[in-house]
Amino acid sequence: MQVYLPVAEMAVNLFALMGLGAVAGFLSGMFGVGGGFLLTPFLIFLGVPPNVAVATQANQLVGASVSGLLGHWQRRNVDVRLGLVMLAGGTAGSLLGVLLFNLLQRLGQIDLAISILYVALLGVVGLAMVLESLVSLLWRRRAPLPLEDTAGNWRSRIPGRMYFPRSGLTISPLLPGGIGFVGGVLVAVMGIGGGFVMVPAMIYMLRMPISLVAGTSLFQILFTTAGATLLQATVNHAVDVVLAFCLLLGGVVGAQWGIRLAARVQGERARLTLGLMVGTVALKLALDLLEVPVEPFTLAPARLP
Amino acid sequence: MRRALAIFLVVVAGLGGGGRQGRAQTMSLHADLSSYLIAITTGFTGAEVVLFGVTDAPGDIVVRVTGPAMPLVVRRKEPVAGLWVNRRSMRFEDVPGYYAVAASRPDVLTAHARLAARLQLGVDNLRLESVTTAPDPETKAIFRAALIRNKQARGLFPEGVGEVTVFRSNQTRLFRTTVRFPATVPTGKYKVETLVLHQGEAIKADVHILSVGKTGISAEIFEFSRLHDILYGLAAVTGALMIGWGGAAMFRR
């Protein structure tokens, strides 16, 4: 059964969409990642225009992150003060990201930018995951956390001071704000939640208690993606609600399977599989950039002068 | 005497020629469409419209459908440090959103080559103007060909000349042809022309307007997303929150 997407102006198979959403939801339930890193390239591959894919992803991530956030909130695992500072950065980042996206589109280089960013991001993350889980599996012990800063307390050299009671940290707000900023840019330009980048940064750069990291990052993601959705809807008119809701409907089902399966599968094995999947997607995108295109010419509507 | 004869001959020739024109005016061509509106609804996967008609004029029957014109940019990927990157581009004005030609004979474009060129009949005769300064005519031709190729791949410039089926009864001919629109067809007004080509001229023509528009919920969503964009954005966020929350709540039993 086909469904016509009013903003994307094309018809897609409804079950393919829901299935895609289910896979993304499954990944989020299992690993706590947004799944956006898979969805955006796949949507573009299906023929959805890149700006609609990225903007609609922001919308989809709102729904995908709310259930996870609720769970953490109920367990009081969210540092709201820190989250708000990150959110301020995230809003600024998504605003810059939307402008950047527009510029790249006008130059006709948006496909290239998205591909390169994905190859870089997924390549690094996939590799890190594979290595970390292999180390854990083969040597049967946790991958060692980095040693205490041998470079001295570089954090204290960053201007500004704020006390975050829930995490027990006294650091410059520019740090979490900066992390949130990067997350915001990623949402607007790539259509991913940014958790991939923010969670390790929160653990290693901010030294937040690990129990608070997931919930706080979801807090930032939820509100940043909500803001990005509003931005994209008003500035670019690129949000397709029909697409977003179809993906979400599949997503909530997939997430439940993912959560159930997560309890039964060994963590390291699952992370290894995910790392391999992510690495494969990165490899495919890299090959696409390098291989001689079958049709080197593309058409795009021209801006009215 | 010779002068009178010359004048007489000129008048007779004139009358004869005028007679041909006069005969064309008494001949008729009527065409009609099975539908004048293509409604893009939620399950839209493309559409077909049948054009049919009757004529007693001699000649080849040609049907042309032209979609709304829009400016387009054609970009070419070139290798830069191993990566294939969009580099050169050319902007074309007034590119039809859809273009199809059907005729009662498949070689109509070659049989009436000069007339086809004059009427811009057939994709190769389309005057696709570019405002970008091309380095040389070959490059422009390459970009133009790429534009046409891309449109053909999407089904927006159906390839070749379609078939107009003709049923003859004495001088009168009944004809029909099917026009196929893919799912990606642009909205707007389409010009559907039926022509009879005879002895280097288009002696009869009948023109109809076909509208392609979004209707139903898809159209309303599209309009809403443009006119009330803030509300639309808020609705999108709220809806996503509800689905996410509701889905988790439902399964938490």
Side-chain angles (χ1 to χ4, degrees), chain A residues 53-85:
Chain A
V54 169
T56 308
Q57 261 303 93
N59 191 3
Q60 193 263 358
L61 284 166
V62 171
S65 42
V66 72
S67 53
L69 176 62
L70 272 179
H72 288 287
W73 186 276
Q74 283 165 347
R75 279 176 224 124
R76 307 198 153 279
N77 278 341
V78 181
D79 182 341
V80 180
R81 196 155 206 241
L82 192 77
L84 285 171
V85 174

Side-chain angles (χ1 to χ4, degrees), chain A residues 4 9 109 239 300 303, chain B residues 42 73 86 91 149 214 232:
Chain A
Y4 184 77
E9 296 186 298
Q109 300 296 359
V239 177
R303 300 278 152 145
Chain B
T42 320
V73 176
N86 280 330
R91 182 187 161 116
R149 205 169 50 233
K214 294 185 183 144
Y232 177 80

Side-chain angles (χ1 to χ4, degrees), chain B residues 136-160:
Chain B
D136 51 69
E138 280 100 55
T139 309
K140 176 166 178 207
I142 292 174
F143 272 78
R144 186 183 183 280
L147 167 66
I148 294 172
R149 205 169 50 233
N150 260 279
K151 288 280 194 181
Q152 283 173 336
R154 293 185 210 176
L156 293 172
F157 281 18
E159 290 187 52

Side-chain angles (χ1 to χ4, degrees), chain B residues 217-239:
Chain B
I217 301 202
S218 304
E220 287 168 41
I221 295 178
F222 187 81
E223 287 298 312
F224 196 84
S225 78
R226 302 265 156 151
L227 285 174
H228 308 283
D229 43 15
I230 303 180
L231 276 179
Y232 177 80
L234 287 171
V237 171
T238 315

Side-chain angles (χ1 to χ4, degrees), chain B residues 58-238:
Chain B
D60 300 315
I61 302 168
V62 177
V63 176
R64 168 166 66 180
V65 182
T66 315
M70 57 187 83
L72 281 182
V73 176
V74 183
R75 295 200 170 95
R76 172 160 68 180
K77 280 194 171 64
E78 291 162 34
V80 172
L83 298 179
W84 284 82
V85 172
N86 280 330
R87 286 199 72 196
R88 220 166 324 175
S89 68
M90 285 188 76
R91 182 187 161 116
F92 287 87
E93 302 296 329
D94 294 328
V95 181
Y98 179 89
Y99 191 85
V101 173
S104 53
R105 62 190 288 188
D107 61 345
V108 68
L109 295 176
T110 42
H112 298 271
R114 229 177 296 167
L115 180 60
R118 191 157 32 102
L119 296 174
Q120 290 190 59
L121 198 61
V123 186
D124 297 323
N125 289 317
L126 270 182
R127 218 159 287 140
L128 296 166
E129 290 306 324
S130 172
V131 291
T132 318
T133 347
D136 51 69
E138 280 100 55
T139 309
K140 176 166 178 207
I142 292 174
F143 272 78
R144 186 183 183 280
L147 167 66
I148 294 172
R149 205 169 50 233
N150 260 279
K151 288 280 194 181
Q152 283 173 336
R154 293 185 210 176
L156 293 172
F157 281 18
E159 290 187 52
V161 174
E163 192 191 335
V164 174
T165 322
V166 179
F167 312 91
R168 176 181 285 277
S169 168
N170 297 329
Q171 297 291 66
T172 313
R173 289 182 294 169
L174 180 66
F175 58 89
R176 71 187 294 273
T177 185
T178 308
V179 187
R180 288 180 184 82
F181 299 97
T184 49
V185 74
T187 55
K189 300 222 177 300
Y190 287 58
K191 188 165 65 163
V192 182
E193 300 163 278
T194 313
L195 307 166
V196 179
L197 308 184
H198 182 59
Q199 294 180 343
E201 289 291 327
I203 58 171
K204 297 303 285 183
D206 197 7
V207 181
H208 295 274
I209 302 292
L210 170 73
S211 294
V212 175
K214 294 185 183 144
T215 61
I217 301 202
S218 304
E220 287 168 41
I221 295 178
F222 187 81
E223 287 298 312
F224 196 84
S225 78
R226 302 265 156 151
L227 285 174
H228 308 283
D229 43 15
I230 303 180
L231 276 179
Y232 177 80
L234 287 171
V237 171
T238 315

